[in-house]
Amino acid sequence: MEKSLPSAGKLWLVGAGPGDPDLLTVRAARLLSMADLVVHDGLVGDGVLALIPDGVERISVAKQRSRHTMRQELINELLVRETLAGKQVVRLKGGDPFIFGRGGEELEAAREAGVACEVVPGITAAAGCAAQAGLPLTHREDASAVSFVAGQCKDLSDQDWSGLAGHGRTLVIYMGLATAGAITDKLIADGVSPDLPVAVVERGTTADSRVLRTLLTDLGDLVAREQVASPALIIVGKVAARADALDCLGAPGAAKNMQKIGDFT
Ligand code: SAH
């Protein structure tokens, strides 16, 4: 008798949103409940991980203190191998898979290996943090363009910061804590006003998030003074002055911890 073939596996690159499990998409939640294997990174919130049913295999490729993150090539190999073995594999990533999430590399690896792959978008940190802070990334009065920039990239010095911030623009910096001072210097050297409002959202949409406001010239000092910890997002532009103490998403504790620094009025 012919041995039946294993059912075809599939890889799903799924955005987990910025932390609050309520910000998961319905599709992402559905996929978590039918997955054979979930491969997640450290940014995925505990509340989201709690939605993975018991018995579903999980692999964390999160950064650990003593170890580096699993190398991207090894993650790609793992995803391809497990999917080719016939599993429904959910690769769960913080925010959106295609925004600083290396989802593009994983999709390419899947394509090269002939593995079926589908991408499920997630709410990126910029959208989640801005909503929580009551800070519109665009505003008819203040900003008609938004840039998402990585503060830590292969060659930060090669990044052309000119034109990314200033009149009519909002600059959102991911992974910018370590380089906040250097970025500030570059922006000011490019002619951006040192008095431009800035908001820093730490652990956005989670129970212990903080929203800090200051002026561009003080950004580096604020990060050090307040010991802002990762993950945190930096939003530079006039819209940052609109950040308020409203707890728009209802994340418990967010309003309590909301801090305002700097006076924009
Ligand atoms: N794919 C993710 C971004 C990954 S890069 C997304 O779309 O959101 C990691 C960076 O994202 C962090 O260093 C931080 O700058 C930002 N980030 C992710 N989650 C965050 C959160 N809950 N609060 C603040 N910043 C966050």
Side-chain angles (χ1 to χ4, degrees):
M1 214 172 91
E2 221 175 46
K3 219 174 141 194
S4 63
L5 288 170
S7 58
K10 185 164 175 178
L11 174 62
W12 309 80
L13 302 182
V14 179
D20 182 347
D22 281 1
L23 294 176
L24 209 58
T25 63
V26 173
R27 187 179 295 177
R30 199 159 52 215
L31 287 168
L32 287 182
S33 67
M34 55 131 266
D36 297 312
L37 167 65
V38 177
V39 179
H40 66 88
D41 52 38
L43 265 185
V44 176
D46 291 343
V48 174
L49 294 178
L51 297 176
I52 303 172
D54 288 345
V56 172
E57 193 187 348
R58 304 176 191 197
I59 298 177
S60 166
V61 291
K63 199 182 275 185
Q64 291 178 357
R65 224 177 295 160
S66 54
R67 270 186 344 138
H68 285 297
T69 319
M70 190 188 277
R71 282 216 337 269
Q72 188 61 46
E73 303 84 71
L74 295 180
I75 298 174
N76 295 352
E77 275 170 38
L78 169 77
L79 297 175
V80 165
R81 190 173 59 241
E82 296 289 342
T83 312
L84 287 176
K87 294 183 186 169
Q88 305 300 313
V89 178
V90 169
R91 171 67 174 115
L92 192 61
K93 305 163 92 60
D96 181 86
F98 278 176
I99 299 193
F100 307 127
R102 305 188 94 173
E105 294 167 48
E106 291 171 3
L107 178 61
E108 282 157 22
R111 279 187 185 141
E112 265 168 40
V115 161
C117 183
E118 197 171 315
V119 181
V120 179
I123 294 182
T124 191
C129 293
Q132 179 192 326
L135 175 170
L137 293 174
T138 69
H139 191 286
R140 276 206 306 164
E141 315 250 312
D142 292 343
S144 57
V146 187
S147 307
F148 294 170
V149 179
Q152 242 161 5
C153 51
K154 270 188 175 164
D155 290 301
L156 182 64
S157 48
D158 290 349
Q159 172 71 54
D160 182 4
W161 293 88
S162 61
L164 291 176
H167 186 68
R169 274 160 248 177
T170 303
L171 169 62
V172 182
I173 306 167
Y174 288 68
M175 298 172 278
L177 286 182
T179 50
I183 292 169
T184 300
D185 292 346
K186 267 177 175 289
L187 291 174
I188 293 175
D190 277 345
V192 174
S193 165
D195 292 337
L196 206 57
V198 176
V200 179
V201 184
E202 183 187 55
R203 292 185 292 270
T205 81
T206 68
D208 55 351
S209 75
R210 289 194 296 168
V211 179
L212 309 163
R213 303 194 318 182
T214 191
L215 303 176
L216 181 58
T217 184
D218 180 51
L219 173 60
D221 286 347
L222 171 87
V223 167
R225 198 166 62 234
E226 293 291 332
Q227 301 185 324
V228 181
S230 187
L233 199 74
I234 300 169
I235 302 174
V236 181
K238 255 182 110 182
V239 291
R242 296 180 185 271
D244 58 24
L246 280 181
D247 179 8
C248 294
L249 291 175
K256 179 170 55 98
N257 292 328
M258 183 82 73
Q259 298 183 24
K260 287 185 182 182
I261 298 174
D263 183 6
F264 305 115
T265 52

